[in-house]
Structure formats: C-alpha cells, structure tokens
Amino acid sequence: APPPAHPGAPGGGGDGGGGKGAGGGRKLPTCAEHDLENYSMYCVSCRSPVCYQCLEEGKHSKHDVKALGAMWKQHKAQLSQALNGVSDKAKEAKEFLVQLKNLLQQIQENGLDYEACLVAQCDALVDALTRQKAKLLTKVTKEREHKLKVVWDQINHCTLKLRQSTGLMEYCLEVIKENDPSGFLQISDALIKRVQVSQEQWVKGALEPKVSAEFDLTLDSEPLLQSIHQLDFIQMKFSVSVPPVPLLQLEKCCTRNNSVTLAWRMPPLSHNPVEGYILELDDGDGGQFREVYVGKETLCTIDGLHFNSTYNARVKAFNSSGVGPYSKTVILQTSDVAWFTFDPSSAHRDIVLSNDNQTATCNSYDDRVVLGTAAFSKGVHYWELHVDRYDNHPDPAFGIARINVVKDMMLGKDDKAWAMYVDNNRSWFMHCNSHTSRTEGGVSKGATVGVLLDLNKHNLTFYINGQQQGPPAFENIEGVFMPALSLNRNVQVNLQSSPTYP
C-alpha cells in the first residue's frame, strides 16, 4: 500500500497536484465516506476513485488500486485513441459519400449509354423487320398481279369464245328457219361440224377459274413473336456475360486505293470482358459477309479489295461466354482509280527505285522485272510510264503480270505476264514467249507509254505518246493483275499511276 497522505495534502504526488492545478482555485472533490479526505487513488476493480482512508480501512486491500492521476492520463489517452478511430471512420464515411455520389453520376451516364444502345438495337430490329416487310409485300404484289393477269387472260379468252359461239348460234337459227330443203342440206353438214367443234372447245375445266381468290402465302410470324417476347429475358440473361455491341469509330474509318481501314471501341463503362473481335466484310457487290479478321486489335486494314466498289463492314466481340451482337454496318467506297508506285519489296534485286518509288532503272544489262503496288481484278485502269533515259536501243517491256511472275527475264516470256516490248522503231506483243502484232513506231527519250487495262471488257491496250499502238493487245483476260515493267540499265522510266484516259 502507498504511504499515507498528510490530511488535506493532495495525494498521488505530481498527478494529484496536476489535477488541482487543472481546476484552478476550485475545491477538490472529497471522499463520500471520509469528508476530510480527497480522492487520490483509483480502484480499477470497483471503477471508482478512493482516498487513503478507504485503503487503510482495508476495503480495497485485494483490489487493483492505481494512482488517480495516472489513471486519469491513461483514460484520457484511451478516449483520444477511440476518438481518433471514430475520426478515421468519419473520414472514410465522407469519402464513401463522395464515392456514392460519383456512383450516382456513373449510373446515370451508364443508364443513358445502355438506353442508347437498346434504342439502337431495337431500331436495327425495326429496320430489319421493315426491310423484310417490303420484301414480303413485293411477293404479295407479284402474286396478286400474276393472279389478276391469269384471270384477265381467261376472261378475254372466254369472251372471245362466247362471242364466236353466240354468232354461230344466231347463224344456225337463221338457217333452221330456211324452208328450202335442198339449200339447207347443202350447208347443214358443215354447220353441224362447226357446232360440234364449237361444243368441243368448251372442254371440261374450260369454265373453271385457273386460279383461286385465295393466296397460298402463309406468314409464319409465331417464332419471331416468341423471340420478341423473350427478348427482355435473353437480354437480362446474357448482358452480364456476353460482350455488348462494339461502337464503330466512323471518324477513323477510311479507304485508300483498294484498301479499307476500320476502327471500333467498346461502349463506356462496359464491365463484360472481351477476348477478341470478329470483323466481317461483304464482297463489294452486296453479297454474303465473310470473316476478314479475328483478334484483339481494335484497328484493322484490309488490302487487295476491288477498286470502285462499295463494301459493307460490321464487327462483333466475343469472350468465353459467347459472341456478342453485331455493330451497326458501315459502308465504305474504294477509290475509282488506283494510285500506286513501284513495289520495292517484290522487285528484282537489280532494280533501282527512286523519287518515292515512282522512278525505276536497273543495275544489270539483262532485263529485270518490277511490279506496281496495286492489284486489279475488275474495272477500267490506265497508267503511263515516261521514258526519262533511253540509251543504245534497249527493249523495255510494259504490261501486266501475276504476283508470281518470273523477274529475271523480259516481261512476257512466261505465262504470268502480258506485255508490249518496244525498241526505237517498232513494238511487239508478247505472252508465253509468243511474239505477235509487230507494229511500226517506237520509243525514245521523252516518250510516254500508256497501258489501258479494261477488266469490264477483259482486254489490254497500249498507247505510245497518246496514240493507240496496234490493235487491242490481249483479250479474254481474267483474274488479278498487277502493273508490270521490265528494263535494263539503259532505260529509266517514271510512273504516273492515274492520268487521264487517252
């Protein structure tokens, strides 16, 4: 037990004095059982302050008793610590309120996005139904016109037969009134045969309609109605797993020559995972869609398409749960005419290209082949090659070729090229090393050779300085062709890919 305190003196050393100082001149509380004793200790077991007199009487001899000031500081520290915890929770609650308010805004924006997406999907369904309705109405109209035509033809035919039969009947009645037996018998046999023939024309079924008024067209709309009624259920079932509709970024979709570039993205706040995309393109002539890309990229360029063609493209996303719906269809128009250069990647190693691959020459005395970067499969295409240098009367060859043409000999010597080779006086057409149509007129420095590939008429024609060189060189050509040229070191030509037709 602590030493007894002097009556009237503050107990507990500095702690008691600190309590007194904190109260200023206020009188310290005294023990409820001992009026003359101030509280100086604290019984932890009883959770109450006590004085020394209480301790001397043994009331708290077996209890845990501590100095009042120490317990005062300890409890203040515990209360401060608890207040800090509450303060942290209050701070977290304020941050949570901000998060909830942001969530409200996100829900609002997300709701608008999904509403727009739903409207777009429903509008697409309505558009598809409208187009199908128009097709069905066309069928009904054709069926109605067919029936009307058949009935009118039958009316006209029956009217004609009826008029003939009525005339014959009237004539026969007049003949029957004839009182001259000899005159009657002279024509009666012929009349009897005519009446019998007229009767036979009204064969069984001749007086029956060839068509019915009923239309044998039954529209089975029940499956579609069931799908419409189940649309909300299917949407709710898959909206959390299958990726939503991708959004085409029209500002990034473009065409260049016979290639198209498409870009897309997923809707904002889309939480469904996406493993990849499937891009589909039709054939440029309103045919069936086909897959042209499957992968994770959201930007894709498709090369080697037809010039002057209109393509429809669409994209859909997929993940482990399945394939999402298609995006809207974007329509892209390829170039009417081709802009191309010489292709350094496929040229023979002796070919030297310059001027942004518009000018070609060669390091070898032997003929070497270089192709253009464009490929043609339909339409009309024209390009010109200007002879910048022409030394020692070489035989450059101009024309078209397949991608796998032999490149270490003159163009036209194999079956993969169709060409006109020309010197300073005359020209020849060549394919499979067959030389035809020798034509007077050659080239020199400054000359221009034109190549006109008409895949609508399937023929190839050549020009020199704006004048047609001989007849159409080749006919009945079909497939995919690339501009081609063969030359040696004595020639340098410059390409103009899309000049005006001669």
Side-chain angles (χ1 to χ4, degrees), residues 358 382 396 420 424 440 478 500:
Q358 297 280 354
Y382 178 74
M420 175 187 74
N424 61 323
E440 296 300 319
E478 293 185 0
T500 306

Side-chain angles (χ1 to χ4, degrees), residues 278-356:
I278 300 173
L279 178 62
E280 295 183 356
L281 203 70
D282 69 358
D283 60 358
D285 198 24
Q288 296 293 322
F289 281 91
R290 69 188 192 281
E291 292 184 4
V292 294
Y293 171 75
V294 178
K296 297 182 179 180
E297 299 296 328
T298 57
L299 181 72
C300 181
T301 298
I302 302 99
D303 298 316
L305 303 177
H306 296 304
F307 285 93
N308 194 24
S309 299
T310 301
Y311 286 90
N312 295 281
R314 62 188 183 184
V315 65
K316 57 185 178 181
F318 65 88
N319 58 20
S320 58
S321 298
V323 180
Y326 284 108
S327 67
K328 289 184 176 181
T329 300
V330 62
I331 301 175
L332 297 167
Q333 174 75 36
T334 54
S335 300
D336 293 341
V337 295
W339 296 91
F340 60 91
T341 65
F342 292 120
D343 184 11
S345 63
S346 63
H348 191 277
R349 62 180 179 274
D350 292 335
I351 294 291
V352 179
L353 300 180
S354 59
N355 189 26
D356 293 329

Side-chain angles (χ1 to χ4, degrees), residues 213-228:
E214 301 298 328
F215 283 73
D216 297 331
L217 298 173
T218 302
L219 181 63
D220 185 13
S221 60
E222 187 61 28
L224 179 60
L225 290 175
Q226 291 181 359
S227 298
I228 292 175

Side-chain angles (χ1 to χ4, degrees), residues 185-204:
L185 291 174
Q186 288 179 359
I187 63 173
S188 60
D189 288 337
L191 285 177
I192 291 171
K193 290 181 180 179
R194 286 185 61 186
V195 171
Q196 289 176 345
V197 170
S198 177
Q199 184 179 2
E200 290 173 356
Q201 289 179 349
W202 301 97
V203 296
K204 183 178 180 180

Side-chain angles (χ1 to χ4, degrees), residues 433-487:
N433 204 26
S434 173
H435 308 250
T436 61
S437 301
R438 170 177 166 173
T439 304
E440 296 300 319
V443 297
S444 59
K445 180 179 179 181
T448 299
V449 176
V451 183
L452 177 60
L453 175 62
D454 189 341
L455 291 172
N456 296 335
K457 298 181 179 179
H458 305 286
N459 61 33
L460 179 65
T461 306
F462 294 97
Y463 297 81
I464 294 180
N465 296 327
Q467 300 297 318
Q468 182 171 330
Q469 185 73 356
F474 302 99
E475 296 181 338
N476 302 319
I477 55 175
E478 293 185 0
V480 180
F481 304 97
M482 306 181 76
L485 163 72
S486 69
L487 72 172

